[in-house]
Amino acid sequence: MANPGSITPTDLTELLRSARAARGASSRGRPRGGGAPPGAAAGRGSSSTAPVPSPQSPDIAIQRTDDDASISRLSAVELGYLSDPFARLFVPQGAPPQRRFPIINRGTFVRTDCIDKLVNLFLTSPSNSSEPKQILSLGAGTDTRYFRLRNANPSLPLLYHEIDFPPITASKIATITRHPTLSSLIPTPSIPTPSALQSSTLNIHPLVLSSLPSTQSLPNFSSTAPTLILSECCLCYLPPTLTISLTTHILNSLLQSTTPAGLILYEPTLPHTAFGRVMAENLSRRGVSMPGLEKWDSPAAQARRLKDAGFNDVGVVSVREAWEEWVDEGEKERVGGLEMLDEVEEWDLLGGHYIIGWGSRGDGWDGMKGLQSSEPDPR
């Protein structure tokens, strides 16, 4: 499953205009910003009618969102929001450079920066285990986090696993083998099939996530190493019963039930607001649905979900709150100077409809326990 930026520029234009209209027309009876109806797409200084997507399977539609994510990541990198020397390598070959709206670039920055903070807290927290720490990234797509971590600290004791659709993993492995800057960061890799990679540091597993609950083992996966599970806009695409089964299987079968474990979520929220309804409608037109969004439809529901999964310490913040509380003032000033962000109200709206959630069990998570959370830990 891909690691998507779920909202394209066309989607964002429609979402913001529809949300404004739903909040009420202006005194002249027109929505702020021109009042284009849903379905009208506006680029930077141009407008056109949004094409109707061709019918496609839900899996294909989800996989294609990863291309959009890689382009959004590169836009944020090239404008100075993020430092990622590997981002360009994973953009689809032949794709023209695309400069995203400032609001999307800021969202990409906050998502990446804050999840990086959580990952680094996991990696640097003291642990009673003698094993290297382990990360399992669900629906990793073209995510570059492994390469950024290894590049920053080549001696980092870390076992990294990624799971995604076989076509996604095959494409990623082909990119790795083409570029020595990537392959040099993987010691003695083995590629048993075009869609699988195994090594002592990075393992890429070609799996449809619906099959994971029946998977008894993963190559080089440790059942006892302190493990962090990452799901960035991934589990929300699955039926809730499958998500619960999959999470339980990872925590209590692939891992021993006593193994220290944590989970980081990045997902949309509040589907029943005007903005949330239009977001769901736009995704539906692209052949994408998010059953998990309906089940866990608020920050409070996400906190309860983490608690129900067996995590002792949980927290949830919106992306807007993460920007306000987790990004220091100097970094806010730097990011604010990169582009003029006129859509402050829209940023608050967009940032309020995505959450970052985290939960942990066992020792080795001290750094996460003091984090600012908008939802009290449900007891």
Side-chain angles (χ1 to χ4, degrees), residues 3-153:
N3 174 20
S6 301
I7 298 181
T8 67
T10 296
D11 291 337
L12 180 63
T13 302
E14 295 180 12
L15 286 168
L16 295 176
R17 287 176 174 172
S18 298
R20 290 170 187 151
R23 290 201 302 267
S26 68
S27 59
R28 295 183 55 143
R30 297 174 59 201
R32 206 161 52 92
R44 301 184 69 84
S46 64
S47 63
S48 62
T49 301
V52 177
S54 301
Q56 56 186 330
S57 75
D59 283 358
I60 295 297
I62 293 168
Q63 291 174 51
R64 288 180 176 172
T65 62
D66 188 60
D67 290 344
D68 184 66
S70 66
I71 292 169
S72 293
R73 183 167 58 243
L74 181 60
S75 173
V77 168
E78 293 195 329
L79 289 167
Y81 286 85
L82 299 168
S83 176
D84 184 347
F86 311 106
R88 176 174 291 280
L89 303 179
F90 288 104
V91 171
Q93 290 184 309
Q98 296 185 37
R99 179 168 176 164
R100 295 305 201 209
F101 293 122
I103 194 173
I104 291 184
N105 289 324
R106 179 176 290 190
T108 300
F109 164 78
V110 176
R111 167 185 175 171
T112 304
D113 181 71
C114 292
I115 293 177
D116 281 352
K117 283 182 169 72
L118 288 169
V119 170
N120 288 332
L121 285 172
F122 163 67
L123 293 175
T124 57
S125 293
S127 170
N128 293 328
S129 174
S130 60
E131 294 186 69
K133 292 185 176 180
Q134 181 170 253
I135 291 176
L136 174 61
S137 181
L138 305 176
T142 56
D143 185 56
T144 61
R145 183 166 281 109
Y146 166 82
F147 298 100
R148 291 188 288 114
L149 288 170
R150 295 292 298 181
N151 188 54
N153 186 356

Side-chain angles (χ1 to χ4, degrees), residues 132-135 146-147 150 158-162 173 176 182-192 196-205 218-222:
K133 292 185 176 180
Q134 181 170 253
I135 291 176
Y146 166 82
F147 298 100
R150 295 292 298 181
L158 174 65
L159 188 55
Y160 206 103
H161 295 265
E162 297 184 350
I173 291 167
I176 291 170
L182 298 171
S183 58
S184 64
L185 295 171
I186 309 171
T188 60
S190 168
I191 303 177
L197 184 149
Q198 297 167 15
S199 78
S200 59
T201 58
L202 175 65
N203 294 270
I204 300 177
H205 309 286
L218 296 171
N220 297 328
F221 189 82
S222 170

